[in-house]
Amino acid sequence: MSKIFKGRVVVPGCVTLKALVTHSGFNTLASYKNCKEGKNICTDQNNKELYGKSTVGVALCLPQTIGSTTGGMVLFNSSVTNCNPGALLFSKQIDSLAAAGAILASVWTDNKIPTIDNLGNEFLDYVKDGMTITIKDDGEVVVD
């Protein structure tokens, strides 16, 4: 049975992807140390849910980003090198650095990262790794 959530659109896009979930803050700089063309394995040892997993092409479900002020540039660079998440789905409000990275990727590259925030705690409690997520342009997120 599908469950529908509604959030605020930061970067629009219609995609269907598999979920990768963390309940901890996502440290972009620590997570993308080994980002290479088309590949990235999360290197943030402090994020036990994501450490050692590929973050490429997934719907990354998270509460918020944390860490360095380079976070936006790291997200943008991940898009340039094709090792970006397929979408960013925030349970909380996105921070300005992550928003800047996602928006710049959509403007300056052909590798858009659809981004929705304010999906709520219920969203993050419900979604599990590997679930299918469909994102719509209006901020609707369907979890199967």
Side-chain angles (χ1 to χ4, degrees):
M1 187 166 133
S2 299
K3 187 148 176 115
I4 299 172
F5 299 88
K6 182 79 171 186
R8 179 180 66 156
V9 177
V10 178
V11 175
C14 295
V15 293
T16 299
L17 305 163
K18 294 295 182 184
L20 182 63
V21 181
T22 182
H23 296 86
S24 302
F26 182 70
N27 186 322
T28 51
L29 182 60
S31 297
Y32 280 91
K33 287 181 183 174
N34 293 326
C35 183
K36 294 182 175 58
E37 188 64 35
K39 295 181 183 179
N40 185 64
I41 302 299
C42 180
T43 51
D44 182 3
Q45 294 180 4
N46 293 319
N47 192 318
K48 303 300 181 201
E49 293 169 296
L50 299 182
Y51 180 71
K53 295 180 181 178
S54 175
T55 58
V56 178
V58 297
L60 185 57
C61 306
L62 64 156
Q64 61 193 6
T65 59
I66 59 171
S68 172
T69 56
T70 63
M73 184 53 80
V74 170
L75 281 175
F76 167 73
N77 187 60
S78 75
S79 185
V80 169
T81 57
N82 298 309
C83 62
N84 56 287
L88 294 169
L89 300 175
F90 290 85
S91 63
K92 298 181 179 182
Q93 184 171 330
I94 193 172
D95 65 280
S96 59
L97 297 172
I103 292 167
L104 289 175
S106 75
V107 173
W108 290 348
T109 75
D110 294 328
N111 206 359
K112 189 184 250 192
I113 307 170
T115 303
I116 310 292
D117 75 347
N118 290 327
L119 287 164
N121 291 333
E122 184 184 355
F123 166 74
L124 209 53
D125 290 340
Y126 182 81
V127 68
K128 306 289 183 251
D129 283 353
M131 288 179 131
T132 300
I133 294 185
T134 301
I135 301 164
K136 300 183 181 178
D137 273 332
D138 66 354
E140 185 175 277
V141 175
V142 181
V143 182
D144 290 313

